[in-house]
Amino acid sequence: MCDKQCKSVCGARTGALVGCGNPLLDISATVPMDFLKKYEMNEDDAILAEERHMPIYRELVDNHRAEFLAGGSVQNSLRIAQWIIGKPNVAVFFGCVGQDDYASTLREKAREAGVDAHYQVSADTPTGTCAVLITGTHRSLCANLAAANKFTIDHLEQPANKALVENALYYYISGFFLTVSPPSIMRVAAAALAKQRPFLMNLSAPFISQFFMQPLLDVMPYVDIIFGNEAEAHAFATAQGWPEKEDLREIGKRLVALNKLNASRPRIAILTQGCDPVLLIQHDSIQEFEVTSLAAHEIVDTNGAGDAFVGGFLAQFVQGKSLDVCIRCGNYAAGHIIKNPGCTYSGAPQFVE
């Protein structure tokens, strides 16, 4: 797969990056605002489905020309990273799927993207789905985890999977996975700490800080790099009762100052703000990285932009590039994804270091 464009990144070895998350099949469609109101949702929501949301998936398929895309936050990020790296199986993914056609589609899409997916299989629960509701340039997500919610630490303890975890050099887990298997997260975090290897995590959505703060705080001492957008950072600060809950820079400073087990590697916070500059916050500095503005007609779908940012970052990070290169690649990937429907890409990556 390697060509001139990826010579510099093909040093990343097979299995270097392990990610854990919720594999979901995205069911994506453009809908009117009334559709959101019907299901008591807002623009740019990211929520877990409740009973009242369950008809949404069939309605999208039957009435709104829905598209099916391989999704789930971490799996998206790993697909983007693989696209930029250009060498298969650098990224290993763990998550749980059902025993159905949706799972077959996810396996096929992961393989096509170069991700080495090792799914746990739930025989009695369908593969998880996520409704992606597009209204103009906004998107709202409603995830029915289903089988994704069945992931257990036992899967990571299987000898072949345990070896993959132990042999990785980098680890990435989303906050979304806190709703599924905190023991699995702690198992991976402990492996990263024992081997002195970077453990990266994402705040993922405001509801994680609102309803799953304790497991988030439990894993935070292991986290070397924390990602989040402004809404997620504000939600974390509000849940913690920080007086600076409206000041993103101050929130970032507090995030990096939270208790950390590996004091030799100070925590880093990377906070995105849509079209405003990305903030790189370290214990002794705050840097800004400009985001290239897009014309309104260029914006097709913001779904997956955050996942793409992390994917672009990881693509450079796993081959030892500097943080500024990693962030610029993250911005490149997010900008590319926004021009495509869903978390999809087209053509060869054009990032220039």
Side-chain angles (χ1 to χ4, degrees), residues 309-320:
F309 175 87
V310 174
F313 182 98
L314 289 171
Q316 305 302 323
F317 191 65
V318 299
Q319 33 117 18

Side-chain angles (χ1 to χ4, degrees), residues 322-333:
S322 63
L323 289 173
D324 66 308
V325 171
C326 296
I327 290 174
R328 287 194 295 102
C329 190
N331 283 337
Y332 160 75

Side-chain angles (χ1 to χ4, degrees), residues 77-99:
S77 294
L78 298 187
R79 288 193 299 106
I80 299 301
Q82 285 288 171
W83 169 60
I84 293 172
I85 290 170
K87 173 184 176 181
N89 300 330
V90 171
V92 175
F93 177 70
F94 294 108
C96 187
V97 298
Q99 201 165 3

Side-chain angles (χ1 to χ4, degrees), residues 113-351:
V115 175
D116 185 17
H118 292 258
Y119 297 131
Q120 189 173 14
V121 176
S122 174
D124 58 356
T125 311
T127 297
T129 50
C130 183
V132 180
L133 312 177
I134 303 168
T135 50
T137 59
H138 300 276
R139 92 285 182 263
S140 304
L141 308 178
C142 183
N144 177 25
L145 297 184
N149 208 34
K150 300 290 187 176
F151 190 90
T152 63
I153 194 171
D154 298 347
H155 190 62
L156 296 180
E157 297 297 351
Q158 293 179 8
N161 295 335
K162 186 174 182 179
L164 289 168
V165 172
E166 296 294 330
N167 291 332
L169 302 176
Y170 306 87
Y171 305 86
Y172 175 62
I173 295 180
S174 71
F176 289 126
F177 206 53
L178 290 166
T179 73
V180 172
S181 185
S184 298
I185 297 176
M186 300 304 287
R187 167 69 180 83
V188 174
L193 178 65
K195 295 179 177 296
Q196 299 285 292
R197 293 170 180 171
F199 181 82
L200 297 80
M201 200 158 176
N202 202 315
L203 294 175
S204 294
F207 81 84
I208 298 297
S209 291
Q210 292 163 351
F211 303 111
F212 298 90
M213 178 58 82
Q214 191 53 55
L216 177 55
L217 290 178
D218 289 344
V219 73
M220 190 62 77
Y222 296 86
V223 176
D224 295 301
I225 299 180
I226 186 75
F227 297 96
N229 63 29
E230 68 265 55
E232 294 154 6
H234 291 319
F236 188 96
T238 299
Q240 286 293 294
W242 291 348
E244 309 91 344
K245 62 184 180 182
E246 300 303 325
D247 188 330
L248 206 56
R249 290 167 172 260
E250 291 302 318
I251 294 171
K253 288 180 183 179
R254 281 189 174 254
L255 282 169
V256 301
L258 289 171
N259 181 47
K260 192 171 188 299
L261 291 171
N262 182 2
S264 67
R265 183 187 285 126
R267 183 180 297 113
I268 295 166
I270 298 173
L271 303 179
T272 61
Q273 314 180 77
C275 59
D276 291 329
V278 175
L279 300 181
L280 168 61
I281 301 168
Q282 303 183 74
H283 70 287
D284 58 355
S285 68
I286 299 178
Q287 294 173 260
E288 292 188 357
F289 293 83
E290 294 295 327
V291 174
T292 301
S293 297
L294 296 177
H297 72 272
E298 294 181 284
I299 300 174
V300 174
D301 180 6
T302 57
N303 179 36
D307 297 339
F309 175 87
V310 174
F313 182 98
L314 289 171
Q316 305 302 323
F317 191 65
V318 299
Q319 33 117 18
K321 299 298 182 179
S322 63
L323 289 173
D324 66 308
V325 171
C326 296
I327 290 174
R328 287 194 295 102
C329 190
N331 283 337
Y332 160 75
H336 179 90
I337 291 303
I338 287 172
K339 298 176 185 177
N340 291 272
C343 192
T344 61
Y345 45 82
S346 56
Q350 302 295 321
F351 176 70

Side-chain angles (χ1 to χ4, degrees), residues 95-123:
C96 187
V97 298
Q99 201 165 3
D100 51 27
D101 289 343
Y102 282 177
S104 299
T105 299
L106 284 176
R107 282 194 186 86
E108 179 184 346
K109 296 295 183 183
R111 187 167 50 250
E112 288 175 357
V115 175
D116 185 17
H118 292 258
Y119 297 131
Q120 189 173 14
V121 176
S122 174

